Amino acid sequence: MSESVGCCDSVSRCFFDYYTSKILIIRSKKVGTLNRFTQALVIAYVIGYVCVYNKGYQDTDTVLSSVTTKVKGIALTNTSELGERIWDVADYIIPPQEDGSFFVLTNMIITTNQTQSKCAENPTPASTCTSHRDCKRGFNDARGDGVRTGRCVSYSASVKTCEVLSWCPLEKIVDPPNPPLLADAENFTVLIKNNIRYPKFNFNKRNILPNINSSYLTHCVFSRKTDPDCPIFRLGDIVGEAEEDFQIMAVHGGVMGVQIRWDCDLDMPQSWCVPRYTFRRLDNKDPDNNVAPGYNFRFAKYYKNSDGTETRTLIKGYGIRFDVMVFGQAGKFNIIPTLLNIGAGLALLGLVNVICDWIVLTFMKRKQHYKEQKYTYVDDFGLLQNEDE
């Protein structure tokens, strides 16, 4: 019974205890140095990192952007399939416009004069045969070249394959030309027009800066040293800045990233808000995993002969796709984040005393003496005694 009464008395004492702060001045060079050093670290963090480096006094907004591109350049090719031919922007930009990107044709495998007819399928483990029984009539292999007729015919003097109804002659299974047919694409140029907006601050700008006029655009080409604000880029320079070789990349194609970064401090003059350009290759170029390298697709150009027969020229096009990616953040002074960061800094300064108290009461030689001085217990019986009297 007495134990339960003692337990209730202890709980009651803890519940009704009142804690008040007590100022204890410790005249110690070690403790004083630790205290001032910790305070200096907190102040340096708040002022140096939060306010100066991270601009904690600013409200921020992310960029909204639109991008349009225009490529210019002419290339000359001379092939057995097409003969001597000039390629302009209408030939090698496919499709003419894309959202935030553009594709430049650099290499191709051309199959001319295809018609809807019957021919031997290209030899593969699934298409080779020895008799008609090996070729199922009407069979359509998703990875094949057409619909099988049920006949086994000669592909060459030593190889037989199933006959298919398709666009014949079929495209040959060969590697793309090396060097690439449109090697001159390295000297093509692209005008990138980028409009950005920070809606929170009602701020708009574009990468054709106010100091750029029409006469300047007619001859400028982007260069980090001489023309860092020019929005016209040579394709070879874009690939070169990514530490790639354009002629090697043009054989099988690839994907390049044009990164435009707008980091704007709107407390400063608007002329300081300018784009920064960087370039990198986006597709995989792992020499240990070179299966299906580059970037390619097929398209065709259709014609009708005088007798009404439809023919087409099939092109397996290899090229480089350029993806234009826009990033950015703008900041401007606002009293709310300023007060929030000041409050956070004051709260961190309050932690300095907690850290110093923990060190003094845990690691100092006279920690017991400091504990006795810091914590004083007072039983408040005086008020009750006065009431009894």
Side-chain angles (χ1 to χ4, degrees):
M1 185 70 178
S2 60
E3 291 182 359
S4 61
V5 172
C7 181
C8 292
D9 185 56
S10 298
V11 172
S12 176
R13 282 177 174 273
C14 292
F15 181 79
F16 291 106
D17 281 351
Y18 167 68
Y19 299 88
T20 184
S21 59
K22 176 182 179 180
I23 299 176
L24 177 64
I25 300 175
I26 301 176
R27 292 189 174 93
S28 169
K29 291 183 178 180
K30 292 181 180 180
V31 179
T33 301
L34 175 65
N35 180 51
R36 298 307 179 197
F37 178 73
T38 310
Q39 287 177 339
L41 287 179
V42 171
I43 293 172
Y45 167 77
V46 173
I47 296 177
Y49 178 77
V50 176
C51 293
V52 177
Y53 179 78
N54 213 32
K55 293 183 173 64
Y57 56 87
Q58 291 183 333
D59 193 8
T60 59
D61 193 15
T62 54
V63 68
L64 298 178
S65 168
S66 68
V67 174
T68 58
T69 60
K70 184 186 293 184
V71 181
K72 289 186 177 182
I74 293 176
L76 173 66
T77 61
N78 192 353
T79 64
S80 58
E81 294 86 359
L82 300 177
E84 192 173 61
R85 176 171 176 170
I86 290 291
W87 296 76
D88 63 13
V89 65
D91 297 314
Y92 57 73
I93 300 298
I94 307 166
Q97 284 294 325
E98 290 187 78
D99 184 16
S101 65
F102 61 96
F103 174 84
V104 178
L105 187 69
T106 59
N107 207 3
M108 66 197 85
I109 297 174
I110 303 171
T111 308
T112 59
N113 300 321
Q114 285 188 321
T115 60
Q116 292 271 337
S117 55
K118 299 175 183 179
C119 52
E121 196 169 5
N122 286 320
T124 64
S127 65
T128 54
C129 59
T130 56
S131 66
H132 296 328
R133 289 177 298 180
D134 297 330
C135 302
K136 181 180 178 181
R137 181 181 177 85
F139 178 72
N140 179 14
D141 186 356
R143 298 187 179 184
D145 299 305
V147 178
R148 292 181 180 175
T149 63
R151 299 179 62 230
C152 181
V153 296
S154 297
Y155 177 83
S156 65
S158 59
V159 178
K160 285 188 174 183
T161 61
C162 294
E163 184 183 60
V164 292
L165 176 63
S166 182
W167 284 95
C168 301
L170 298 176
E171 177 189 292
K172 295 180 180 179
I173 303 176
V174 295
D175 291 329
N178 190 5
L181 292 180
L182 294 179
D184 290 343
E186 183 173 9
N187 296 315
F188 295 170
T189 60
V190 56
L191 168 63
I192 299 177
K193 294 190 285 186
N194 177 214
N195 295 273
I196 61 107
R197 174 174 172 80
Y198 290 106
K200 185 181 291 187
F201 308 123
N202 194 28
F203 178 82
N204 303 275
K205 201 163 186 178
R206 62 177 186 159
N207 66 329
I208 302 178
L209 303 177
N211 61 304
I212 295 177
N213 54 36
S214 299
S215 61
Y216 176 73
L217 281 180
T218 59
H219 68 270
C220 80
V221 176
F222 175 83
S223 170
R224 294 204 182 276
K225 294 181 179 179
T226 59
D227 293 281
D229 296 330
C230 180
I232 299 176
F233 303 84
R234 179 175 170 271
L235 300 188
D237 294 338
I238 292 177
V239 176
E241 286 232 3
E243 299 182 352
E244 298 288 340
D245 188 301
F246 186 93
Q247 296 300 323
I248 294 176
M249 190 175 183
V251 174
H252 290 280
V255 183
M256 288 293 304
V258 179
Q259 298 173 320
I260 307 177
R261 178 165 289 279
W262 293 83
D263 287 329
C264 300
D265 186 348
L266 299 184
D267 294 324
M268 299 299 177
Q270 292 189 8
S271 59
W272 292 17
C273 179
V274 295
R276 306 296 179 191
Y277 302 98
T278 56
F279 313 96
R280 63 186 299 265
R281 185 168 182 172
L282 300 180
D283 62 318
N284 184 29
K285 198 192 70 169
D286 186 357
D288 297 327
N289 183 14
N290 59 356
V291 178
Y295 182 69
N296 66 79
F297 58 90
R298 291 174 177 84
F299 63 97
K301 297 184 178 182
Y302 294 85
Y303 313 92
K304 268 196 176 181
N305 297 332
S306 57
D307 59 357
T309 303
E310 186 179 33
T311 65
R312 77 175 188 181
T313 297
L314 177 66
I315 299 175
K316 182 179 182 181
Y318 298 81
I320 303 175
R321 193 183 77 192
F322 295 84
D323 293 337
V324 184
M325 298 167 287
V326 182
F327 309 90
Q329 179 174 280
K332 193 172 185 179
F333 174 78
N334 189 295
I335 191 62
I336 294 177
T338 302
L339 293 178
L340 288 175
N341 283 294
I342 290 174
L346 294 175
L348 287 175
L349 281 175
L351 286 176
V352 173
N353 291 337
V354 175
I355 295 172
C356 291
D357 284 348
W358 176 73
I359 293 175
V360 167
L361 299 176
T362 306
F363 300 105
M364 301 294 286
K365 292 181 179 179
R366 301 182 62 190
K367 58 185 179 183
Q368 189 61 36
H369 174 68
Y370 293 143
K371 185 178 295 185
E372 292 173 357
Q373 295 296 322
K374 182 172 179 62
Y375 300 108
T376 303
Y377 299 91
V378 178
D379 293 326
D380 187 12
F381 296 114
L383 182 60
L384 295 175
Q385 292 175 357
N386 292 334
E387 289 178 354
D388 292 341
E389 292 177 357

